[in-house]
Amino acid sequence: MGRPRHPDILTPREWEVLALLRERLTNEDIASRLGITLDGAKYHVSQILSKLGFSTREEAAAWRPPEKQRWWMAWPVWARIIGAATIAAAVAGLAVLALGVVLRTRGDEEVPSLRDNALYGRIVYLAPADHSQWIAAPEQLAEAGIVTSATPDQFRQAVTSDTAAIIIDRGWALQLDRGWVRSQYEQGVVIVGIGINMSEMPSILGLSPVGISGDFGSYPESRRFYSLISKQPCGGGASQDYLDLHPQSQFNLLIHRMANDATVPNQGGEMLKAESQC
């Protein structure tokens, strides 16, 4: 007496007894299993039958509680519709927010475009036949304004007096006329050798740039790298770097270096750096 009514249809002990009824245990077995008296077992069984409205143990054992109704199903239809629309709008908003975060995160990794740069369409790449060995994906090269050539003949035809930089894959290097490559360098064209170490420039491309000092070291053949040299009005430039540690970032860096080292004629015909004057 005085004990508050249990919020569930059965008490925790009654649920235990009901589970044993489903095992077809007798009152004596239930008392023994739960460590209670026989009278206690009988009492719990009678309470179960009374609460569930059954007259036999078998009916109680066969009973299954109805599935609990979801809390929002108790709402009126109009409220459920509004609630569903609100949830959908929230999900859509989160999706847009997530997309914005992704785009902002990738902002620094976007493919650099040279469409507004003096070098757009003025970089020619003698690329290997295997696209997986290219310095970047075809669409990235196109966005950067780099013209690709599949053979040395196509390459030489694509290189014109307006070309500001050329990129040569090591696999094609020995098939090019070294004198022609040297003439491009002397005219101020930036020369990039893919897989060619700076120390190999004289033997492979016939280039011994003046003013280059310092030990650039040698990169292992297992790593993709490039060497870049240029002859500027205010001194030659040189750099080396990998292409495979962070491919997109390093491709961006290569584009920046070519643009920074290239020379373009001004209105008076004088050769100046593409991005900044000396």
Side-chain angles (χ1 to χ4, degrees):
M1 296 295 295
R3 179 183 297 177
R5 182 178 179 86
H6 197 275
D8 199 355
I9 189 172
L10 300 177
T11 66
R13 174 64 83 182
E14 289 165 356
W15 280 113
E16 290 180 308
V17 172
L18 178 60
L20 297 178
L21 286 178
R22 290 172 178 155
E23 294 181 22
R24 299 183 181 279
L25 298 186
T26 64
N27 289 340
E28 291 78 8
D29 293 332
I30 292 174
S32 175
R33 181 78 66 88
L34 298 180
I36 60 178
T37 64
L38 178 58
D39 288 339
K42 291 179 180 179
Y43 172 79
H44 290 310
V45 171
S46 65
Q47 285 292 97
I48 292 171
L49 296 178
S50 175
K51 289 180 178 180
L52 299 183
F54 298 133
S55 58
T56 66
R57 301 162 65 95
E58 289 73 16
E59 289 177 319
W63 174 82
R64 292 294 182 273
E67 183 178 358
K68 290 185 178 180
Q69 187 180 40
R70 294 179 175 85
W71 59 269
W72 56 269
M73 289 299 291
W75 293 0
V77 174
W78 62 267
R80 276 182 270 166
I81 294 175
I82 294 176
T86 302
I87 293 173
V91 171
L94 289 174
V96 171
L97 178 61
L99 178 60
V101 171
V102 170
L103 291 178
R104 288 196 298 273
T105 302
R106 293 182 56 197
D108 294 338
E109 294 298 318
E110 291 297 324
V111 178
S113 175
L114 299 182
R115 293 184 185 277
D116 298 325
N117 189 286
L119 297 189
Y120 188 83
R122 301 180 62 217
I123 301 173
V124 184
Y125 175 31
L126 180 53
D130 184 358
H131 285 196
S132 67
Q133 295 302 310
W134 283 22
I135 59 174
E139 59 272 15
Q140 293 174 328
L141 297 176
E143 182 64 27
I146 297 178
V147 179
T148 57
S149 301
T151 67
D153 289 341
Q154 292 180 4
F155 180 64
R156 290 196 59 170
Q157 292 175 9
V159 176
T160 67
S161 59
D162 194 47
T163 299
I166 58 178
I167 306 173
I168 304 169
D169 185 81
R170 185 186 183 94
W172 292 117
L174 295 179
Q175 299 188 40
L176 290 173
D177 183 341
R178 300 200 314 172
W180 176 83
V181 176
R182 180 74 186 185
S183 70
Q184 298 299 315
Y185 168 77
E186 293 293 343
Q187 293 171 35
V189 175
V190 177
I191 312 294
V192 179
I194 303 300
I196 302 174
N197 190 269
M198 189 66 68
S199 61
E200 297 175 315
M201 285 291 188
S203 60
I204 295 180
L205 294 177
L207 300 175
S208 299
V210 178
I212 302 302
S213 60
D215 182 13
F216 285 93
S218 59
Y219 291 157
E221 294 183 0
S222 60
R223 299 290 303 279
R224 298 193 66 218
F225 59 90
Y226 69 85
S227 297
L228 179 151
I229 61 173
S230 63
K231 183 178 181 180
Q232 301 173 8
C234 24
S239 59
Q240 286 188 170
D241 209 339
Y242 289 111
L243 281 168
D244 57 356
L245 283 176
H246 306 285
Q248 185 60 66
S249 297
Q250 292 180 339
F251 176 65
N252 294 2
L253 178 61
L254 174 57
I255 296 297
H256 173 76
R257 284 175 172 168
M258 283 191 291
N260 190 57
D261 287 358
T263 55
V264 294
N266 63 8
Q267 293 181 350
E270 181 182 5
M271 299 301 289
L272 299 175
K273 291 179 66 177
E275 290 193 346
S276 61
Q277 298 185 10
C278 301

